[in-house]
Structures are given as structure tokens and as C-alpha cells.
């Protein structure tokens, strides 16, 4: 009996160790570090909110930063704000990400990009039945097609870079890109699309030492968020409240750290980490420790996810 107990104990200890060793051998892509000091970071949607916060954080870490947005006046205000807080100037570019020729021209004039942060975004929460097609198309064009335009314009220069250090393409998704929410029909479709783009793109560019990150901020206290709340359906507010709001500077610091470590998924809060584990699926994973966590806890988090769904559908039924 004692021998059997010892055997079970040895098995309990050995199985996790064997799993960790196996995962360390098979996780892809391999771990990497992407330096940003003295390198060119190009950020879209950089005139306010998360984009402005990422720009400020990157400047403070020694990067050369270019910010792109449509509104030139807001870009100039952002540039002055960054200069005031850091003492350093950034380059500004006024262009519409929906216009490929304008994006291509902006990227070529900016010079070789080491870190591309596709942060532009438009969001209007509404039930699809009541939402205008014009709003749906605008969200798809800005959030998804705009990212295609940026990646396509920047890739040739990134591939031809001379220093051969690893570089990054980061897409700003959302927790609405991890789970669909009432009132986010159009927005979630765009953000889920970014995941497909990012997963396939990582396979296409890994041979050139280009690393893709997908960032999942929750609701963030930005000027755009204040506008969103004015039209947000009541049920959307109730369901989305299950993940708390963050400040842009908090999101920016986490996002930039995720980019520098080459992480594919970059969640920004505890709920985001749980969602990343629950929705890992066939996504790339560099960390064998995180892969271990995903394997062990995926089943439990499926139960937790069903509990959330039970709560959400209960609110809808009421």
C-alpha cells in the first residue's frame, strides 16, 4: 500500500514536470526581446487616448516616435503635450488610415519603422438592427482595413532594414475582440478580424524576425470612451461593467512591455488574462510557462465563461 502511495505521489510530481519540458520544446515562436531605445516607433491614433499614452511612454524609454492621426490640430496639441512632459519632440503625420495611398506616402516619408502600433479606432455601440450601415462600414474601414493598409505599407521597409534586430507589428484590439458583447456586433467583428490577421501575419513574417502582438485593453478612460457612453445601450453597460475601466497610461505601459517581450497576446488586466487563457485556441505562444497555465486552466475557465454567459443572458432576459 505504501509503495502504491509513493508511486501515485511520484506520478503527481513528474507529470507537470514532463508537461513543462514538452511545452518548452514545442512552443513557437521562440522567446525574443525587441529593443525600442533609439529605434523608430510609429503609432496611429496617436493624437489622444491610448495612442498618445503609448507615444509618451515610448519617448520616455528613448525611442524616436512618429504619431499619425487625421486631425492636424490635435496632432500639434499632442506633440506639445509630449514635449511638455518629456522635453522631447515627436514627428507628426496627418493622414487617413482608410486611404492606402496616403498611408503608403506617410510611411515612406517617415523612414524605416521598427515598431508599428496600429492603434487607430472607431467605436459606436448599438444593436445591429438600429445601427446605420454608414457607421458599420466606418468601423470596418478604420479598425480593420486601416490596419491592413498600415501593415502592407510598412512591411517592405521593415523587411529591408539593415540593423537586423527584431522588430514588431502591434494591433490594438479590445476585450470585445476576445468575446462578443451585446451592442458590440460591428465592433467585435472588426476586433475579431484583427486576431485572424495577426495569427496569419505572424506566420508570414517570422522568417524576417518580425513579431506580431495583439493587445486587448478593456474599457479605457479616453475622450472617445466618454463619447461612446452617451449612446451605449443599457444592456451593453451592464454586461461590459464586469471588466473595470483603466487609465490610458496604465494600458500604454502594459502594451509597450508586451511589445518588447514579443508577446502575441497582451492582456491588460486580470479579466483580460483570464480571457486570453480561455480563448488561447491555436494562437502562438512564446512562453512555455503561460502555455502550461493555458493547458491546466482552460477547462476551469470554460466553466467560468459559462457562468458569465449565464449572468449575461439573465440580464438580457430581464
Amino acid at each position: 500500500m505504501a509503495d502504491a502511495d509513493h508511486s501515485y505521489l511520484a506520478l503527481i510530481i513528474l507529470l507537470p514536470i514532463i508537461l513543462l519540458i514538452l511545452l518548452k520544446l514545442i512552443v513557437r515562436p521562440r522567446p525574443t526581446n525587441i529593443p525600442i531605445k533609439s529605434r523608430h516607433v510609429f503609432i496611429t491614433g496617436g493624437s489622444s487616448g491610448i495612442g498618445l499614452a503609448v507615444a509618451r511612454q515610448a519617448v520616455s524609454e528613448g525611442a524616436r516616435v512618429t504619431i499619425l492621426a487625421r486631425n492636424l490640430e490635435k496632432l500639434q496639441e499632442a506633440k506639445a503635450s509630449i514635449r511638455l512632459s518629456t522635453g522631447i519632440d515627436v514627428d507628426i503625420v496627418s493622414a487617413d488610415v482608410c486611404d492606402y495611398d496616403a498611408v503608403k506616402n506617410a510611411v515612406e516619408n517617415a523612414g524605416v519603422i521598427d515598431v508599428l502600433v496600429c492603434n487607430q479606432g472607431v467605436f459606436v455601440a448599438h444593436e445591429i438592427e438600429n445601427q446605420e450601415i454608414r457607421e458599420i462600414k466606418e468601423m470596418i474601414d478604420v479598425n480593420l482595413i486601416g490596419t491592413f493598409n498600415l501593415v502592407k505599407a510598412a512591411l517592405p521597409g521593415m523587411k529591408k532594414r539593415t540593423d537586423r534586430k527584431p522588430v514588431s507589428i502591434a494591433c490594438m484590439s479590445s476585450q470585445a475582440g476576445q468575446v462578443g458583447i451585446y451592442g458590440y456586433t460591428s465592433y467585435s467583428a472588426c476586433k475579431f478580424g484583427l486576431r485572424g490577421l495577426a495569427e496569419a501575419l505572424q506566420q508570414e513574417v517570422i522568417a524576417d524576425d518580425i513579431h506580431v502582438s495583439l493587445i486587448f485593453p478593456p474599457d479605457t478612460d479616453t475622450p472617445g470612451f466618454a463619447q461612446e457612453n452617451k449612446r451605449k445601450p443599457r444592456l451593453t453597460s451592464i454586461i461590459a461593467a464586469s471588466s473595470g475601466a483603466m487609465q490610458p497610461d496604465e494600458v500604454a505601459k502594459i502594451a509597450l512591455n508586451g511589445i518588447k517581450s514579443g508577446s502575441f497576446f497582451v492582456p491588460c488586466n486580470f479579466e483580460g488574462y483570464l480571457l486570453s487563457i480561455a480563448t488561447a485556441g491555436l494562437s502562438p505562444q512564446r512562453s512555455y510557462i503561460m502555455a502550461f497555465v493555458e493547458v491546466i486552466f482552460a477547462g476551469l475557465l470554460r466553466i467560468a465563461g459559462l457562468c458569465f454567459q449565464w449572468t449575461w443572458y439573465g440580464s438580457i432576459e430581464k
Side-chain angles (χ1 to χ4, degrees), residues 87 101 103 111 128 140 155 159-160 173 252 285 293:
D101 290 333
V103 169
I128 193 166
I140 293 170
L155 262 183
K159 287 188 173 187
K160 292 175 184 175
S173 183
Q285 178 55 266
V293 172

Side-chain angles (χ1 to χ4, degrees), residues 128-146:
I128 193 166
E129 183 182 6
N130 303 318
Q131 194 157 40
E132 294 181 13
I133 287 294
R134 174 187 55 79
E135 287 181 337
I136 295 170
K137 285 182 175 178
E138 183 185 13
M139 276 190 275
I140 293 170
D141 285 345
V142 173
N143 300 340
L144 185 57
I145 303 301

Side-chain angles (χ1 to χ4, degrees), residues 32-291:
T32 190
N33 286 299
I34 300 165
I36 67 165
K37 187 174 181 179
S38 302
R39 304 186 84 200
H40 186 198
V41 179
F42 190 100
I43 304 163
T44 63
S47 61
S48 64
I50 294 172
L52 177 57
V54 172
R56 190 180 292 114
Q57 182 69 31
V59 167
S60 71
E61 295 187 25
R64 176 172 77 85
V65 172
T66 299
I67 55 175
L68 179 147
R70 284 181 289 194
N71 190 309
L72 182 58
E73 186 178 339
K74 287 185 178 180
L75 279 167
Q76 290 168 336
E77 290 173 2
K79 179 175 181 174
S81 168
I82 293 170
R83 186 194 301 122
L84 185 64
S85 61
T86 66
I88 299 169
D89 272 329
V90 299
D91 295 325
I92 59 174
V93 181
S94 176
D96 185 349
V97 296
C98 301
D99 182 342
Y100 175 71
D101 290 333
V103 169
K104 188 170 183 285
N105 185 57
V107 166
E108 287 174 352
N109 289 336
V112 175
I113 295 169
D114 299 302
V115 177
L116 173 65
V117 183
C118 304
N119 171 73
Q120 78 285 347
V122 174
F123 172 48
V124 181
H126 223 320
E127 298 92 340
I128 193 166
E129 183 182 6
N130 303 318
Q131 194 157 40
E132 294 181 13
I133 287 294
R134 174 187 55 79
E135 287 181 337
I136 295 170
K137 285 182 175 178
E138 183 185 13
M139 276 190 275
I140 293 170
D141 285 345
V142 173
N143 300 340
L144 185 57
I145 303 301
T147 302
F148 275 101
N149 289 341
L150 287 158
V151 171
K152 187 167 176 59
L155 262 183
M158 297 179 90
K159 287 188 173 187
K160 292 175 184 175
R161 68 193 186 281
T162 55
D163 67 7
R164 304 317 300 170
K165 292 178 183 176
V167 296
S168 171
I169 296 172
C171 300
M172 193 65 67
S173 183
S174 163
Q175 286 184 354
Q178 296 175 289
V179 58
I181 296 291
Y182 184 103
Y184 284 28
T185 314
S186 307
Y187 186 66
S188 283
C190 305
K191 296 301 186 178
F192 270 82
L194 287 178
R195 173 167 176 169
L197 184 161
E199 287 189 1
L201 179 64
Q202 181 60 95
Q203 294 181 22
E204 293 181 12
V205 300
I206 189 63
D208 293 286
D209 211 7
I210 300 172
H211 305 275
V212 179
S213 292
L214 199 55
I215 303 161
F216 297 109
D219 284 342
T220 306
D221 189 10
T222 66
F225 181 58
Q227 289 297 116
E228 293 161 16
N229 282 334
K230 292 178 181 177
R231 285 189 54 184
K232 194 178 280 185
R234 182 165 172 264
L235 270 170
T236 305
S237 299
I238 291 169
I239 293 171
S242 56
S243 182
M246 293 180 69
Q247 293 301 310
D249 289 341
E250 295 176 295
V251 173
K253 190 170 184 179
I254 292 167
L256 209 54
N257 285 339
I259 290 168
K260 289 188 294 183
S261 66
S263 301
F264 184 76
F265 279 177
V266 184
C268 295
N269 62 5
F270 180 67
E271 291 83 0
Y273 273 103
L274 296 182
L275 280 170
S276 293
I277 295 167
T279 62
L282 295 177
S283 61
Q285 178 55 266
R286 295 182 187 279
S287 166
Y288 69 94
I289 299 295
M290 272 307 301

